[in-house]
Tab-separated table of all heavy atoms in Angstrom:
chain	number	residue	atom	x	y	z
A	224	GLY	N	-12.676	-1.891	-15.267
A	224	GLY	CA	-13.753	-1.063	-14.728
A	224	GLY	C	-13.304	0.319	-14.295
A	224	GLY	O	-14.112	1.104	-13.800
A	225	TYR	N	-12.021	0.605	-14.497
A	225	TYR	CA	-11.473	1.900	-14.077
A	225	TYR	C	-10.716	2.576	-15.222
A	225	TYR	O	-10.186	1.911	-16.099
A	225	TYR	CB	-10.487	1.719	-12.918
A	225	TYR	CG	-11.027	0.985	-11.724
A	225	TYR	CD1	-10.830	-0.383	-11.581
A	225	TYR	CD2	-11.721	1.668	-10.722
A	225	TYR	CE1	-11.319	-1.062	-10.486
A	225	TYR	CE2	-12.205	0.994	-9.614
A	225	TYR	CZ	-11.995	-0.373	-9.502
A	225	TYR	OH	-12.476	-1.039	-8.401
A	226	ASN	N	-10.664	3.897	-15.161
A	226	ASN	CA	-9.794	4.669	-16.035
A	226	ASN	C	-9.103	5.731	-15.191
A	226	ASN	O	-9.617	6.117	-14.136
A	226	ASN	CB	-10.599	5.350	-17.151
A	226	ASN	CG	-11.021	4.361	-18.219
A	226	ASN	OD1	-10.192	3.720	-18.838
A	226	ASN	ND2	-12.320	4.245	-18.420
A	227	VAL	N	-7.957	6.188	-15.669
A	227	VAL	CA	-7.213	7.206	-14.930
A	227	VAL	C	-6.775	8.322	-15.854
A	227	VAL	O	-6.698	8.162	-17.069
A	227	VAL	CB	-5.964	6.623	-14.231
A	227	VAL	CG1	-6.360	5.713	-13.076
A	227	VAL	CG2	-5.058	5.911	-15.225
A	228	SER	N	-6.475	9.461	-15.222
A	228	SER	CA	-5.909	10.601	-15.946
A	228	SER	C	-4.834	11.238	-15.100
A	228	SER	O	-5.086	11.546	-13.929
A	228	SER	CB	-6.993	11.645	-16.246
A	228	SER	OG	-7.964	11.147	-17.120
A	229	ARG	N	-3.639	11.366	-15.678
A	229	ARG	CA	-2.586	12.118	-14.984
A	229	ARG	C	-2.647	13.530	-15.570
A	229	ARG	O	-2.057	13.835	-16.594
A	229	ARG	CB	-1.219	11.497	-15.215
A	229	ARG	CG	-0.094	12.189	-14.468
A	229	ARG	CD	-0.108	11.858	-12.999
A	229	ARG	NE	0.920	12.557	-12.256
A	229	ARG	CZ	2.122	12.055	-11.976
A	229	ARG	NH1	2.453	10.842	-12.410
A	229	ARG	NH2	2.988	12.768	-11.288
A	230	LEU	N	-3.422	14.363	-14.909
A	230	LEU	CA	-3.755	15.692	-15.427
A	230	LEU	C	-2.523	16.583	-15.520
A	230	LEU	O	-2.372	17.387	-16.437
A	230	LEU	CB	-4.814	16.337	-14.533
A	230	LEU	CG	-6.101	15.494	-14.372
A	230	LEU	CD1	-6.979	16.054	-13.276
A	230	LEU	CD2	-6.851	15.432	-15.695
A	231	ASN	N	-1.661	16.474	-14.561
A	231	ASN	CA	-0.402	17.211	-14.504
A	231	ASN	C	0.463	16.499	-13.466
A	231	ASN	O	0.084	15.418	-12.987
A	231	ASN	CB	-0.636	18.678	-14.121
A	231	ASN	CG	-1.578	18.810	-12.946
A	231	ASN	OD1	-1.329	18.223	-11.884
A	231	ASN	ND2	-2.677	19.544	-13.123
A	232	LYS	N	1.572	17.073	-13.085
A	232	LYS	CA	2.449	16.372	-12.149
A	232	LYS	C	1.781	16.190	-10.789
A	232	LYS	O	2.028	15.214	-10.091
A	232	LYS	CB	3.756	17.143	-11.999
A	232	LYS	CG	4.851	16.335	-11.306
A	232	LYS	CD	6.180	17.043	-11.357
A	232	LYS	CE	7.270	16.155	-10.777
A	232	LYS	NZ	8.592	16.813	-10.839
A	233	ARG	N	0.931	17.102	-10.396
A	233	ARG	CA	0.308	17.065	-9.073
A	233	ARG	C	-0.891	16.132	-8.976
A	233	ARG	O	-1.160	15.579	-7.925
A	233	ARG	CB	-0.176	18.472	-8.688
A	233	ARG	CG	0.897	19.485	-8.366
A	233	ARG	CD	0.250	20.760	-7.837
A	233	ARG	NE	-0.408	20.559	-6.554
A	233	ARG	CZ	-1.731	20.631	-6.363
A	233	ARG	NH1	-2.552	20.878	-7.372
A	233	ARG	NH2	-2.249	20.454	-5.165
A	234	GLU	N	-1.657	15.991	-10.050
A	234	GLU	CA	-2.977	15.384	-9.948
A	234	GLU	C	-3.115	14.084	-10.747
A	234	GLU	O	-2.680	13.989	-11.903
A	234	GLU	CB	-4.031	16.387	-10.426
A	234	GLU	CG	-4.081	17.654	-9.586
A	234	GLU	CD	-4.997	18.691	-10.230
A	234	GLU	OE1	-4.623	19.247	-11.292
A	234	GLU	OE2	-6.081	18.926	-9.665
A	235	PHE	N	-3.778	13.123	-10.106
A	235	PHE	CA	-3.990	11.803	-10.718
A	235	PHE	C	-5.393	11.365	-10.319
A	235	PHE	O	-5.648	11.075	-9.155
A	235	PHE	CB	-2.922	10.853	-10.187
A	235	PHE	CG	-2.863	9.510	-10.871
A	235	PHE	CD1	-3.051	9.376	-12.235
A	235	PHE	CD2	-2.557	8.363	-10.133
A	235	PHE	CE1	-2.959	8.142	-12.860
A	235	PHE	CE2	-2.458	7.127	-10.742
A	235	PHE	CZ	-2.653	7.021	-12.110
A	236	SER	N	-6.300	11.308	-11.285
A	236	SER	CA	-7.694	10.988	-10.961
A	236	SER	C	-8.052	9.585	-11.410
A	236	SER	O	-7.473	9.041	-12.363
A	236	SER	CB	-8.633	12.010	-11.605
A	236	SER	OG	-8.518	11.951	-13.009
A	237	LEU	N	-9.023	9.007	-10.701
A	237	LEU	CA	-9.502	7.656	-10.981
A	237	LEU	C	-10.989	7.747	-11.292
A	237	LEU	O	-11.754	8.278	-10.495
A	237	LEU	CB	-9.285	6.752	-9.773
A	237	LEU	CG	-9.785	5.312	-9.887
A	237	LEU	CD1	-8.923	4.510	-10.855
A	237	LEU	CD2	-9.801	4.638	-8.518
A	238	ARG	N	-11.410	7.193	-12.431
A	238	ARG	CA	-12.807	7.277	-12.829
A	238	ARG	C	-13.441	5.903	-12.916
A	238	ARG	O	-12.855	4.963	-13.491
A	238	ARG	CB	-12.949	7.999	-14.168
A	238	ARG	CG	-14.408	8.180	-14.601
A	238	ARG	CD	-14.577	9.243	-15.642
A	238	ARG	NE	-15.955	9.347	-16.086
A	238	ARG	CZ	-16.908	10.046	-15.435
A	238	ARG	NH1	-16.614	10.721	-14.325
A	238	ARG	NH2	-18.142	10.085	-15.905
A	239	LEU	N	-14.633	5.807	-12.331
A	239	LEU	CA	-15.475	4.627	-12.484
A	239	LEU	C	-16.580	5.009	-13.452
A	239	LEU	O	-17.395	5.878	-13.148
A	239	LEU	CB	-16.086	4.217	-11.150
A	239	LEU	CG	-15.183	3.544	-10.120
A	239	LEU	CD1	-14.191	4.516	-9.525
A	239	LEU	CD2	-16.022	2.907	-9.022
A	240	GLU	N	-16.606	4.412	-14.620
A	240	GLU	CA	-17.566	4.802	-15.650
A	240	GLU	C	-18.966	4.272	-15.354
A	240	GLU	O	-19.963	4.941	-15.591
A	240	GLU	CB	-17.100	4.296	-17.016
A	240	GLU	CG	-15.866	4.998	-17.550
A	240	GLU	CD	-16.131	6.444	-17.949
A	240	GLU	OE1	-17.301	6.887	-17.971
A	240	GLU	OE2	-15.152	7.162	-18.242
A	241	SER	N	-19.043	3.052	-14.866
A	241	SER	CA	-20.332	2.430	-14.564
A	241	SER	C	-20.130	1.559	-13.323
A	241	SER	O	-19.713	0.413	-13.436
A	241	SER	CB	-20.818	1.598	-15.751
A	241	SER	OG	-22.038	0.970	-15.454
A	242	ALA	N	-20.385	2.132	-12.181
A	242	ALA	CA	-20.041	1.467	-10.922
A	242	ALA	C	-20.799	0.153	-10.732
A	242	ALA	O	-21.983	0.028	-11.089
A	242	ALA	CB	-20.315	2.397	-9.748
A	243	ALA	N	-20.105	-0.806	-10.148
A	243	ALA	CA	-20.675	-2.123	-9.844
A	243	ALA	C	-20.471	-2.421	-8.358
A	243	ALA	O	-19.500	-1.927	-7.757
A	243	ALA	CB	-20.003	-3.196	-10.689
A	244	PRO	N	-21.328	-3.234	-7.756
A	244	PRO	CA	-21.164	-3.570	-6.328
A	244	PRO	C	-19.775	-4.132	-6.004
A	244	PRO	O	-19.264	-3.929	-4.904
A	244	PRO	CB	-22.268	-4.589	-6.083
A	244	PRO	CG	-23.339	-4.204	-7.052
A	244	PRO	CD	-22.606	-3.755	-8.287
A	245	SER	N	-19.149	-4.819	-6.978
A	245	SER	CA	-17.819	-5.392	-6.757
A	245	SER	C	-16.746	-4.304	-6.583
A	245	SER	O	-15.611	-4.597	-6.166
A	245	SER	CB	-17.424	-6.300	-7.923
A	245	SER	OG	-17.389	-5.561	-9.133
A	246	GLN	N	-17.100	-3.067	-6.903
A	246	GLN	CA	-16.159	-1.969	-6.742
A	246	GLN	C	-16.294	-1.275	-5.385
A	246	GLN	O	-15.594	-0.296	-5.115
A	246	GLN	CB	-16.320	-0.959	-7.881
A	246	GLN	CG	-15.923	-1.540	-9.233
A	246	GLN	CD	-16.108	-0.569	-10.381
A	246	GLN	OE1	-17.217	-0.041	-10.585
A	246	GLN	NE2	-15.058	-0.339	-11.142
A	247	THR	N	-17.164	-1.804	-4.551
A	247	THR	CA	-17.234	-1.340	-3.166
A	247	THR	C	-15.902	-1.652	-2.495
A	247	THR	O	-15.463	-2.809	-2.475
A	247	THR	CB	-18.379	-2.044	-2.415
A	247	THR	OG1	-19.622	-1.610	-2.972
A	247	THR	CG2	-18.340	-1.729	-0.923
A	248	SER	N	-15.247	-0.632	-1.973
A	248	SER	CA	-13.900	-0.809	-1.446
A	248	SER	C	-13.431	0.501	-0.825
A	248	SER	O	-14.128	1.514	-0.867
A	248	SER	CB	-12.949	-1.217	-2.585
A	248	SER	OG	-11.667	-1.566	-2.102
A	249	VAL	N	-12.226	0.456	-0.256
A	249	VAL	CA	-11.557	1.681	0.162
A	249	VAL	C	-10.443	1.943	-0.848
A	249	VAL	O	-9.626	1.060	-1.121
A	249	VAL	CB	-10.973	1.561	1.579
A	249	VAL	CG1	-10.291	2.876	1.972
A	249	VAL	CG2	-12.073	1.220	2.579
A	250	TYR	N	-10.422	3.135	-1.400
A	250	TYR	CA	-9.464	3.482	-2.435
A	250	TYR	C	-8.403	4.428	-1.866
A	250	TYR	O	-8.722	5.406	-1.193
A	250	TYR	CB	-10.183	4.157	-3.615
A	250	TYR	CG	-11.065	3.201	-4.364
A	250	TYR	CD1	-12.368	2.927	-3.938
A	250	TYR	CD2	-10.591	2.535	-5.490
A	250	TYR	CE1	-13.168	2.018	-4.607
A	250	TYR	CE2	-11.391	1.629	-6.176
A	250	TYR	CZ	-12.666	1.372	-5.725
A	250	TYR	OH	-13.454	0.469	-6.398
A	251	PHE	N	-7.151	4.100	-2.161
A	251	PHE	CA	-6.037	4.930	-1.706
A	251	PHE	C	-5.233	5.420	-2.898
A	251	PHE	O	-4.910	4.664	-3.814
A	251	PHE	CB	-5.103	4.137	-0.784
A	251	PHE	CG	-5.647	3.911	0.587
A	251	PHE	CD1	-6.272	2.716	0.912
A	251	PHE	CD2	-5.534	4.902	1.549
A	251	PHE	CE1	-6.787	2.509	2.183
A	251	PHE	CE2	-6.039	4.707	2.826
A	251	PHE	CZ	-6.672	3.510	3.139
A	252	CYS	N	-4.888	6.682	-2.833
A	252	CYS	CA	-3.957	7.288	-3.766
A	252	CYS	C	-2.615	7.421	-3.059
A	252	CYS	O	-2.575	7.648	-1.840
A	252	CYS	CB	-4.476	8.654	-4.206
A	252	CYS	SG	-3.365	9.572	-5.285
A	253	ALA	N	-1.529	7.251	-3.796
A	253	ALA	CA	-0.198	7.384	-3.213
A	253	ALA	C	0.735	8.029	-4.222
A	253	ALA	O	0.474	8.033	-5.427
A	253	ALA	CB	0.344	6.020	-2.795
A	254	SER	N	1.835	8.572	-3.707
A	254	SER	CA	2.851	9.130	-4.594
A	254	SER	C	4.222	8.787	-4.041
A	254	SER	O	4.393	8.545	-2.836
A	254	SER	CB	2.689	10.647	-4.714
A	254	SER	OG	3.044	11.301	-3.504
A	255	SER	N	5.217	8.745	-4.927
A	255	SER	CA	6.596	8.539	-4.504
A	255	SER	C	7.504	9.365	-5.396
A	255	SER	O	7.142	9.722	-6.515
A	255	SER	CB	6.982	7.064	-4.543
A	255	SER	OG	6.934	6.557	-5.853
A	256	GLU	N	8.713	9.612	-4.877
A	256	GLU	CA	9.593	10.584	-5.519
A	256	GLU	C	9.953	10.187	-6.942
A	256	GLU	O	9.801	10.958	-7.875
A	256	GLU	CB	10.862	10.749	-4.691
A	256	GLU	CG	11.764	11.845	-5.198
A	256	GLU	CD	12.918	12.091	-4.259
A	256	GLU	OE1	12.774	11.795	-3.052
A	256	GLU	OE2	13.956	12.564	-4.723
A	257	ILE	N	10.455	8.989	-7.089
A	257	ILE	CA	10.904	8.587	-8.417
A	257	ILE	C	10.205	7.311	-8.847
A	257	ILE	O	9.439	7.285	-9.793
A	257	ILE	CB	12.425	8.368	-8.462
A	257	ILE	CG1	13.155	9.635	-8.045
A	257	ILE	CG2	12.855	7.923	-9.855
A	257	ILE	CD1	14.650	9.469	-7.925
A	258	ARG	N	10.474	6.259	-8.108
A	258	ARG	CA	9.956	4.964	-8.502
A	258	ARG	C	9.455	4.213	-7.275
A	258	ARG	O	9.450	4.718	-6.183
A	258	ARG	CB	11.070	4.153	-9.184
A	258	ARG	CG	11.470	4.690	-10.502
A	258	ARG	CD	12.547	3.827	-11.125
A	258	ARG	NE	12.787	4.231	-12.501
A	258	ARG	CZ	13.617	3.587	-13.296
A	258	ARG	NH1	14.265	2.525	-12.875
A	258	ARG	NH2	13.799	4.015	-14.529
A	259	GLY	N	9.052	2.978	-7.518
A	259	GLY	CA	8.460	2.190	-6.442
A	259	GLY	C	9.410	1.775	-5.356
A	259	GLY	O	8.995	1.219	-4.359
A	260	ASN	N	10.705	2.005	-5.518
A	260	ASN	CA	11.607	1.629	-4.429
A	260	ASN	C	11.951	2.817	-3.544
A	260	ASN	O	12.877	2.771	-2.754
A	260	ASN	CB	12.882	0.973	-4.971
A	260	ASN	CG	13.557	1.848	-6.005
A	260	ASN	OD1	13.094	2.946	-6.299
A	260	ASN	ND2	14.637	1.368	-6.559
A	261	THR	N	11.198	3.883	-3.701
A	261	THR	CA	11.310	4.995	-2.754
A	261	THR	C	10.003	5.070	-1.971
A	261	THR	O	8.982	4.550	-2.402
A	261	THR	CB	11.582	6.325	-3.469
A	261	THR	OG1	10.566	6.539	-4.452
A	261	THR	CG2	12.935	6.294	-4.155
A	262	GLU	N	10.044	5.724	-0.833
A	262	GLU	CA	8.907	5.736	0.069
A	262	GLU	C	7.650	6.237	-0.633
A	262	GLU	O	7.671	7.262	-1.312
A	262	GLU	CB	9.196	6.626	1.264
A	262	GLU	CG	8.043	6.710	2.266
A	262	GLU	CD	8.393	7.549	3.474
A	262	GLU	OE1	9.513	8.094	3.518
A	262	GLU	OE2	7.535	7.656	4.368
A	263	ALA	N	6.554	5.514	-0.453
A	263	ALA	CA	5.264	5.952	-0.967
A	263	ALA	C	4.479	6.631	0.147
A	263	ALA	O	4.427	6.140	1.269
A	263	ALA	CB	4.474	4.755	-1.508
A	264	PHE	N	3.886	7.763	-0.181
A	264	PHE	CA	3.074	8.514	0.765
A	264	PHE	C	1.611	8.369	0.335
A	264	PHE	O	1.293	8.543	-0.846
A	264	PHE	CB	3.483	9.984	0.769
A	264	PHE	CG	4.860	10.220	1.309
A	264	PHE	CD1	5.980	10.068	0.501
A	264	PHE	CD2	5.040	10.592	2.624
A	264	PHE	CE1	7.254	10.274	0.997
A	264	PHE	CE2	6.307	10.812	3.135
A	264	PHE	CZ	7.423	10.647	2.321
A	265	PHE	N	0.768	8.095	1.312
A	265	PHE	CA	-0.630	7.786	1.011
A	265	PHE	C	-1.570	8.881	1.482
A	265	PHE	O	-1.306	9.568	2.486
A	265	PHE	CB	-1.029	6.484	1.697
A	265	PHE	CG	-0.476	5.254	1.038
A	265	PHE	CD1	0.823	4.850	1.275
A	265	PHE	CD2	-1.257	4.513	0.164
A	265	PHE	CE1	1.347	3.734	0.654
A	265	PHE	CE2	-0.748	3.387	-0.459
A	265	PHE	CZ	0.550	2.993	-0.209
A	266	GLY	N	-2.679	8.999	0.752
A	266	GLY	CA	-3.789	9.801	1.219
A	266	GLY	C	-4.560	9.044	2.277
A	266	GLY	O	-4.218	7.904	2.619
A	267	GLN	N	-5.633	9.662	2.774
A	267	GLN	CA	-6.397	9.046	3.859
A	267	GLN	C	-7.461	8.083	3.360
A	267	GLN	O	-8.134	7.444	4.166
A	267	GLN	CB	-7.026	10.139	4.720
A	267	GLN	CG	-5.984	10.881	5.552
A	267	GLN	CD	-6.585	11.460	6.801
A	267	GLN	OE1	-7.571	12.192	6.718
A	267	GLN	NE2	-6.027	11.141	7.948
A	268	GLY	N	-7.619	7.983	2.062
A	268	GLY	CA	-8.540	6.997	1.515
A	268	GLY	C	-9.929	7.532	1.217
A	268	GLY	O	-10.370	8.522	1.811
A	269	THR	N	-10.597	6.860	0.289
A	269	THR	CA	-12.000	7.134	-0.039
A	269	THR	C	-12.771	5.846	0.165
A	269	THR	O	-12.453	4.833	-0.448
A	269	THR	CB	-12.161	7.588	-1.497
A	269	THR	OG1	-11.476	8.820	-1.687
A	269	THR	CG2	-13.637	7.749	-1.848
Side-chain angles (χ1 to χ4, degrees):
Chain A
Y225 305 95
N226 285 301
V227 290
S228 295
R229 183 75 183 266
L230 304 169
N231 46 55
K232 193 171 185 179
R233 289 187 66 247
E234 298 172 290
F235 189 38
S236 63
L237 178 71
R238 183 161 177 83
L239 286 71
E240 291 290 352
S241 178
S245 60
Q246 294 179 304
T247 293
S248 188
V249 180
Y250 291 84
F251 285 98
C252 176
S254 70
S255 64
E256 186 173 335
I257 302 174
R258 291 181 171 184
N260 54 1
T261 55
E262 179 177 2
F264 293 83
F265 285 81
Q267 289 206 306
T269 296

